[in-house]
């Protein structure tokens, strides 16, 4: 569990970059690099809260914003559900494809919210062909890509949980998913304790592995649930994010084949916070019109679901802001 915070993540030095590129492509080397890289073990915080305490009924949005190409438009679009909390995944920070911007910070400023940002991956390259088309430079100023929580009230405590450390996208002995584009890091979650009029609640932004099967994601979700129990025992909790359910599971890519749903229910969680229907669509980066899946979910414990829905990622002008739609729910504390 990582709990140290900072106002700015330290960049990777030239010596660190050289060491990453020359390191053996195995799990042991990846674990050593992960432990030694400062930014991978810190949570960046910033922004400014607009309230001190949340109401008993709060609205939470969870959205994989697919790099966040358009942070101002994405923030404005999110106003459609007026979230008290936004759980974001796939946000860039210092990446050429998003203009080297800190997309989380831009969104938080536009929405008058405070934020926490944690690094999922240090990206060593510019991305795939459709991402390179958006690059403003031929280098990444920082190369951070990760998860974030935006909140209208201050965080009482925050933590980051790494759901694997072996280098799923780095280590050849684990079948590196993209050997030509080494990434340092792995899937993770951010958790925060915020205060409501009825007491504290734990909110969690997570992102499970896409290039894996149901047993692998089951293991990641078990790690997450154990970490939440340590961080926020006996605390009402709402988990939201891209669980990649059914992904990489041809031919049907069916979320019903995942076992993590039953696992969560056995641990006291309910999936009643998730609206029915698919959550993916073609986008400017991922133009796959045939790919329609349900990847994004909420799971809650010791709170009650009220309203719920899916906000299309398409703007009024028909521009897709992401390959994921935004899921949202209203939750009642007691």
């Amino acid at each position: 569990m990582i709990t140290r915070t900072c106002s700015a993540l330290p960049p990777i030095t030239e010596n660190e970059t050289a060491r990453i590129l020359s390191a053996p492509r195995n799990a042991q080397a990846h674990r050593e690099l992960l432990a030694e890289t400062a930014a991978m073990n810190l949570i960046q915080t910033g922004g400014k809260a607009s309230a001190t305490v949340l109401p008993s009924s709060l609205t939470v949005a969870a959205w994989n914003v697919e790099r966040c190409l358009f942070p101002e438009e994405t923030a404005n679009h999110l106003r459609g559900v007026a979230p008290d909390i936004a759980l974001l995944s796939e946000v860039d920070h210092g990446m050429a494809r998003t203009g080297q911007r800190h997309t989380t910070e831009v969104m938080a400023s536009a929405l008058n919210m405070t934020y926490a940002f944690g690094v999922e991956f240090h990206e060593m390259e510019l991305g795939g062909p459709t991402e390179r088309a958006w690059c403003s430079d031929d280098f990444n100023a920082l190369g951070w890509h990760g998860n974030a929580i935006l909140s209208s009230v201050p965080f009482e405590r925050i933590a980051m949980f790494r759901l694997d450390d072996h280098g799923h996208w780095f280590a050849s002995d684990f079948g590196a998913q993209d050997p030509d584009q080494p990434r340092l890091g792995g899937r993770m979650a951010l958790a925060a304790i915020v205060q409501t009029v009825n007491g504290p609640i734990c909110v969690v932004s997570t992102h499970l592995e896409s290039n894996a099967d149901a047993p692998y994601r089951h293991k990641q979700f078990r790690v997450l649930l154990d970490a939440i129990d340590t961080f926020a025992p006996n605390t009402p909790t709402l988990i939201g994010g891209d669980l990649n359910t059914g992904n990489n599971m041809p031919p049907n890519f069916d979320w019903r084949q995942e076992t993590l749903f039953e696992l969560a229910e056995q641990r006291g969680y309910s999936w009643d916070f998730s609206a029915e229907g698919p959550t993916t669509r073609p986008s400017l980066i991922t133009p796959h019109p045939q790919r329609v899946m349900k990847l994004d979910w909420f799971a809650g414990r010791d709170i009650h679901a009220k309203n719920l829905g899916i906000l299309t990622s398409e703007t009024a002008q028909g521009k897709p802001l992401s390959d994921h739609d935004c899921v949202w729910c209203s939750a009642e504390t007691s």
Side-chain angles (χ1 to χ4, degrees):
M1 183 188 306
I2 296 164
T3 57
R4 291 194 330 171
T5 63
C6 64
S7 59
L9 292 171
I12 296 278
T13 67
E14 290 185 5
N15 287 341
E16 287 174 322
T17 297
R19 183 162 183 226
I20 293 169
L21 292 174
S22 64
R25 300 294 292 277
N26 59 48
Q28 179 180 345
H30 183 268
R31 290 185 176 108
E32 291 174 357
L33 292 167
L34 196 62
E36 294 169 1
T37 304
M40 306 300 290
N41 298 281
L42 290 166
I43 305 166
Q44 184 177 2
T45 58
K48 187 174 181 181
S50 57
T52 57
V53 64
L54 293 173
S56 60
S57 179
L58 60 149
T59 299
V60 181
W63 197 0
N64 178 328
V65 293
E66 195 188 25
R67 326 306 188 245
C68 203
L69 287 174
F70 313 104
E72 289 91 353
E73 286 183 83
T74 301
N76 186 59
H77 198 67
L78 201 52
R79 288 191 178 95
V81 296
D84 300 293
I85 301 285
L87 309 174
L88 305 179
S89 52
E90 290 199 17
V91 281
D92 276 359
H93 180 5
M95 292 287 297
R97 64 197 177 199
T98 43
Q100 312 288 14
R101 306 177 79 189
H102 189 348
T103 59
T104 298
E105 190 170 71
V106 174
M107 286 190 64
S109 176
L111 293 168
N112 296 314
M113 298 173 111
T114 190
Y115 72 84
F117 169 80
V119 179
E120 181 179 55
F121 292 111
H122 173 52
E123 303 274 358
M124 305 294 292
E125 298 289 344
L126 301 179
T130 58
E131 293 169 294
R132 288 172 182 266
W134 294 94
C135 289
S136 55
D137 301 301
D138 60 0
F139 65 93
N140 295 321
L142 294 170
W144 306 133
H145 182 70
N147 284 20
I149 302 177
L150 310 185
S151 174
S152 58
V153 300
F155 302 121
E156 293 197 345
R157 290 190 295 125
I158 51 178
M160 178 165 61
F161 315 132
R162 294 220 168 268
L163 306 182
D164 57 41
D165 62 2
H166 61 263
H168 200 70
W169 293 78
F170 179 91
S172 56
D173 53 349
F174 276 87
Q177 301 303 308
D178 196 348
D180 295 326
Q181 296 188 52
R183 297 182 191 177
L184 180 65
R187 305 302 180 182
M188 44 78 79
L190 278 178
I193 303 292
V194 292
Q195 197 63 230
T196 77
V197 294
N198 290 327
I201 182 174
C202 177
V203 292
V204 183
S205 170
T206 194
H207 191 196
L208 302 189
E209 184 55 57
S210 57
N211 284 299
D213 55 14
Y216 190 94
R217 283 186 284 267
H218 181 110
K219 181 180 178 181
Q220 287 188 319
F221 209 68
R222 186 177 65 243
V223 170
L224 174 59
L225 297 181
D226 289 345
I228 293 170
D229 284 348
T230 299
F231 173 69
N234 305 312
T235 303
T237 299
L238 186 65
I239 303 168
D242 175 6
L243 305 188
N244 271 305
T245 44
N247 214 341
N248 202 44
M249 293 169 62
N252 298 321
F253 303 95
D254 189 351
W255 60 267
R256 296 169 186 85
Q257 299 178 48
E258 300 281 353
T259 59
L260 61 82
F261 295 105
E262 183 178 0
L263 170 67
E265 290 167 354
Q266 292 170 349
R267 301 284 288 266
Y269 286 85
S270 167
W271 297 95
D272 292 345
F273 303 84
S274 303
E276 294 184 1
T279 61
T280 64
R281 66 176 56 248
S283 72
L284 299 174
I285 290 178
T286 312
H288 299 312
Q290 75 280 9
R291 192 186 75 169
V292 178
M293 293 184 286
K294 186 172 182 62
L295 305 182
D296 306 272
W297 300 84
F298 286 109
R301 177 183 68 181
D302 297 329
I303 51 176
H304 308 287
K306 292 179 63 180
N307 301 316
L308 46 108
I310 299 175
L311 173 70
T312 175
S313 67
E314 285 193 349
T315 67
Q317 293 73 39
K319 179 168 73 173
L321 299 173
S322 171
D323 62 337
H324 290 246
D325 288 338
C326 172
V327 296
W328 64 272
C329 70
S330 294
E332 185 75 33
T333 61
S334 58

